[in-house]
């Protein structure tokens, strides 16, 4: 067993007089070891049995401590291969004043972008889609749903809806929706974005490789053409531990006060 593991158990012995339940003491020892860098992102935790033997506690206690740390996003469990310290996220800083695409944002940071398709096709529009995109019930909506991945880390789930008259072949967009819209002169020039907090459900959490229930960001973007026509209605879930949205604020001068 590694030195780091030995140190975890040494700390555990020191704290065993504290009177706190054993699983909480073990949880804290492991958490401290991660925070102090004794075990780093991607490092394997010793097996449940090794921990139990070494610390002289039951496997049930070990499991409880480990499950708590998995729920908190400190450890990750991979079926068949064990428990590891969760990879540390490099937070992405995203300006809220420029209308850019995911592909452009990541390319500017030198990150390799790819997407996993969740859905693409033509459908009868939902009431929300009809209202936002101005579609009638006899028209079709093109849906493009993707898991967006940068440098092998899934960052967001994006579900875009556009009128089928603008995007008749959603399967043919290639790697960038905005690039495809640019080809037909339909790239948006303005957008309104609404950001709210969301706790991730099972399915979204699994796709984004985070524990269910963890904080995420729900983002709705409605984009417009220069003519004022709505072109895109996208609802996304972004990882809360990966994104900082940054907006620049200016004091309104007297000449601008009262402007709409
Ligand atoms: C951004 C947009 C999304 C747009 C996508 C196009 C947000 C929250 N969302 O991720 O609305 O559909 O870019 O990216 O910023 P693409 O051209 O790389 O497909």
């Amino acid at each position: 067993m590694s030195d780091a593991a030995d140190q975890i158990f040494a700390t555990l012995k020191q704290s065993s007089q504290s009177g706190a339940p054993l699983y909480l003491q073990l949880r804290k020892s492991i958490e401290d070891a991660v925070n102090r860098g004794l075990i780093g992102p991607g490092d394997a935790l010793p097996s449940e049995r090794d921990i139990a033997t070494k610390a002289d506690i039951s496997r049930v206690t070990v499991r409880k401590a480990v499950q708590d740390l998995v729920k908190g996003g400190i450890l990750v469990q991979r079926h068949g291969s064990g428990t590891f310290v969760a990879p540390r996220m490099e937070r992405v800083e995203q300006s809220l004043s420029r209308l850019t695409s995911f592909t452009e944002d990541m390319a500017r940071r030198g990150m390799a972008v790819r997407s996993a398709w969740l859905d693409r096709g033509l459908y009868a529009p939902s009431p929300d889609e009809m209202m936002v995109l101005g579609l009638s019930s006899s028209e079709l909506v093109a849906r493009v749903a993707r898991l967006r991945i940068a440098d092998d880390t899934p960052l967001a789930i994006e579900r875009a809806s556009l009128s089928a008259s603008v995007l008749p072949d959603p399967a043919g967009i290639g790697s960038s929706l905005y690039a495809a819209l640019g080809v037909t002169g339909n790239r948006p020039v303005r957008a309104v974005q609404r950001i709210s907090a969301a706790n991730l459900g099972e399915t979204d959490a699994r796709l984004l490789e985070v524990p269910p229930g963890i904080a995420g960001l729900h983002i709705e973007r409605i984009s417009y053409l220069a003519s004022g026509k709505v072109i895109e209605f996208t609802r996304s879930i972004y990882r809360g531990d990966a994104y900082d949205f940054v907006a620049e604020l200016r004091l309104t001068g007297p000449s601008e006060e009262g402007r709409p």
Side-chain angles (χ1 to χ4, degrees):
M1 204 180 293
S2 70
D3 294 351
D6 282 337
Q7 290 201 46
I8 298 176
F9 305 122
T11 341
L12 182 66
K13 276 209 188 91
Q14 286 158 24
S15 67
S16 63
Q17 274 87 22
S18 76
L22 265 178
Y23 89 93
L24 283 181
Q25 291 177 32
L26 177 62
R27 191 181 80 183
K28 187 164 182 317
S29 301
I30 298 175
E31 221 171 344
D32 284 351
V34 173
N35 291 337
R36 284 162 55 202
L38 294 175
I39 39 175
D43 285 352
L45 206 70
S47 74
E48 212 172 87
R49 185 178 336 126
D50 282 349
I51 299 180
T53 314
K54 187 96 184 171
D56 197 20
I57 51 182
S58 78
R59 285 178 68 170
V60 177
T61 304
V62 176
R63 194 165 309 148
K64 200 159 185 268
V66 169
Q67 287 311 331
D68 261 23
L69 292 165
V70 168
K71 261 193 224 134
I74 310 248
L75 301 176
V76 283
Q77 265 171 337
R78 297 199 195 106
H79 285 298
S81 52
T83 306
F84 301 85
V85 178
R88 191 164 299 133
M89 267 314 296
E90 281 294 333
R91 292 182 79 88
V92 169
E93 204 169 277
Q94 178 66 46
S95 163
L96 281 174
S97 53
R98 279 190 307 266
L99 179 55
T100 48
S101 74
F102 187 87
T103 306
E104 291 163 345
D105 290 337
M106 297 305 134
R108 202 169 344 103
R109 298 184 172 93
M111 294 168 101
V113 191
R114 67 195 166 83
S115 299
W117 284 102
L118 304 175
D119 188 12
R120 49 183 158 176
L122 299 177
Y123 296 90
S126 69
D128 276 0
E129 288 167 330
M130 286 189 339
M131 204 170 69
V132 175
L133 296 168
L135 298 173
S136 70
S137 54
S138 59
E139 289 174 291
L140 291 177
V141 70
R143 290 191 193 139
V144 172
R146 295 169 291 173
L147 177 66
R148 313 298 313 257
I149 304 160
D151 278 356
D152 287 333
T153 304
L155 290 184
I157 300 165
E158 294 189 335
R159 299 178 183 281
S161 302
L162 300 94
S163 161
S165 62
V166 172
L167 195 66
D169 177 20
I173 66 160
S175 56
S176 166
L177 173 63
Y178 279 15
L181 293 175
V183 171
T184 54
N186 285 313
R187 184 174 167 138
V189 297
R190 187 173 76 82
V192 175
Q193 200 158 285
R194 191 177 289 272
I195 304 178
S196 50
N199 290 109
L200 302 189
E202 288 276 348
T203 314
D204 290 345
R206 189 168 29 79
L207 288 169
L208 293 171
E209 296 176 9
V210 291
I214 219 162
L217 297 164
H218 178 264
I219 306 182
E220 188 181 282
R221 183 185 279 195
I222 299 179
S223 316
Y224 300 83
L225 294 179
S227 65
K229 181 179 179 240
V230 173
I231 190 81
E232 171 201 14
F233 175 36
T234 296
R235 285 159 286 187
S236 311
I237 297 284
Y238 275 63
R239 273 174 69 151
D241 61 345
Y243 262 84
D244 285 327
F245 284 94
V246 181
E248 189 186 69
L249 310 175
R250 286 172 196 262
L251 183 68
T252 314
S255 60
E256 288 172 53
E257 247 164 359
R259 275 197 198 176

